[in-house]
Amino acid sequence: MLLRALLDMIYPPICLGCGADAATGRLCDECDGRIKAMERLPACHRCGRTAQLFAVREEGCAYCIGETTWNFAGLARVGIYEPPLRDIVLQLKYAGRMAQGEWLAQRLAEAIRRAAWFDELDALVPVPMHWLRRLQRPCDHALALTRETARRLRLPVVRAVRRVKYAPSQTALSSLAARFQNVVGSFEPRQRWGGKSAIAGRTVCVVDNFLSSGATLRETVKAVRKCGAKRIYAAVVARGGDQPEAGLFLEGLAGPVREVDKIGVE
């Protein structure tokens, strides 16, 4: 802490979201206000979409109640896929900036602690990255996020599944059907001596940085279930995709959206 304070005196901290001066903490007042407002947005406990709580029932919200996509018991999120949260996620994913990763992990850990199912958890499981994709990226962002989050929650990380099929990035696909088809059969349980997975009979949470269609998370959960997990939850930093009510809530966020340099392709 003393070293951090001395460094801040010599090199004034800049906002992790937009690069402006951050007088205190890791964000400027504007970005901090917007993200705190995002965290207060009501969301469905099943699919993570922004939705009025009175419209959410035990089995889900009006949007997901008829969908078969959601094969996990519940989902925790930090906020929606809009600036500045989106930009912080992209800086970790495409630039490997671990300061952003540590900050995201802190917020994600807080979101998981708020979930009704937190006390059930035995371990966190990262969405795996294919080794060819790893060569194209500065870091395995889901694994880095999971490790930092687990450290804060004092939970173990179990790399229970692996990615066995290299496929085009989901961001390059426009249709929902194409995104789901693109990742079918992409994940398998990791083999262990003795044949029994470390998560067999345990309650776990699958972690990723971003959720849009839900295709990648769905296929990962299928592989986790093959490992014998007793109950499976999920957690993501940002929820994007089709969120009919999110645009209405954006108007109430603190401050206007500030244009910042985007890193990589969304």
Side-chain angles (χ1 to χ4, degrees):
M1 294 299 292
L2 179 58
L3 178 59
R4 172 66 63 83
L6 291 173
L7 288 174
D8 287 348
M9 290 176 63
I10 301 171
Y11 304 103
I14 62 172
C15 176
L16 297 178
C18 68
D21 290 340
T24 58
R26 308 310 305 276
L27 299 177
C28 68
D29 290 342
E30 183 177 321
C31 287
D32 185 56
R34 287 184 60 80
I35 290 177
K36 285 180 178 177
M38 284 184 184
E39 291 175 319
R40 292 193 297 269
L41 294 178
C44 175
H45 58 80
R46 183 187 185 212
C47 70
R49 286 187 179 97
T50 300
Q52 294 284 7
L53 291 182
F54 63 78
V56 179
R57 301 198 292 271
E58 183 177 352
E59 59 270 33
C61 67
Y63 302 113
C64 74
I65 200 167
E67 297 173 332
T68 58
T69 302
W70 317 107
N71 57 349
F72 42 85
L75 182 136
R77 71 171 203 186
V78 176
I80 54 180
Y81 194 59
E82 294 289 339
L85 190 58
R86 176 180 66 187
D87 304 300
I88 300 174
V89 168
L90 292 176
Q91 288 174 58
L92 170 64
K93 184 173 181 178
Y94 292 107
R97 295 180 181 171
M98 291 313 301
Q100 276 78 355
E102 292 172 3
W103 182 89
L104 290 172
Q106 179 62 41
R107 288 309 239 268
L108 185 58
E110 292 169 2
I112 294 173
R113 283 196 190 96
R114 290 193 295 269
W117 38 265
F118 168 60
D119 289 337
E120 301 177 34
L121 293 183
D122 297 309
L124 301 186
V125 177
V127 170
M129 179 182 287
H130 193 276
W131 68 269
L132 282 176
R133 182 73 67 202
R134 177 64 185 87
L135 294 176
Q136 303 167 22
R137 298 280 168 82
C139 69
D140 185 334
H141 49 86
L143 178 59
L145 177 66
T146 304
R147 283 174 170 166
E148 287 295 325
T149 303
R151 183 171 64 83
R152 288 162 171 78
L153 296 175
R154 297 184 179 180
L155 288 170
V157 175
V158 180
R159 301 176 69 180
V161 299
R162 61 193 182 100
R163 191 157 191 157
V164 296
K165 186 178 83 172
Y166 181 80
S169 172
Q170 292 287 80
T171 58
L173 305 173
S174 56
S175 77
L176 194 64
R179 290 191 172 199
F180 277 88
Q181 185 59 41
N182 188 49
V183 292
V184 169
S186 291
F187 305 96
E188 289 183 356
R190 285 185 180 272
Q191 298 296 323
R192 298 185 72 227
W193 292 107
K196 186 177 181 181
S197 172
I199 61 171
R202 306 176 77 187
T203 297
V204 301
C205 177
V206 178
V207 177
D208 204 0
N209 63 329
F210 169 61
L211 169 64
S212 179
S213 66
T216 299
L217 194 55
R218 175 181 173 82
E219 291 300 311
T220 303
V221 169
K222 284 182 181 179
V224 171
R225 184 161 285 112
K226 289 179 182 178
C227 294
K230 179 176 70 174
R231 197 164 179 81
I232 307 168
Y233 296 96
V236 298
V237 171
R239 177 62 160 97
D242 178 24
Q243 295 197 77
E245 295 192 41
L248 299 175
F249 286 112
L250 279 176
E251 298 177 4
L253 296 181
V257 175
R258 180 186 300 174
E259 287 299 321
V260 297
D261 294 335
K262 304 299 188 294
I263 299 174
V265 180
E266 295 173 30

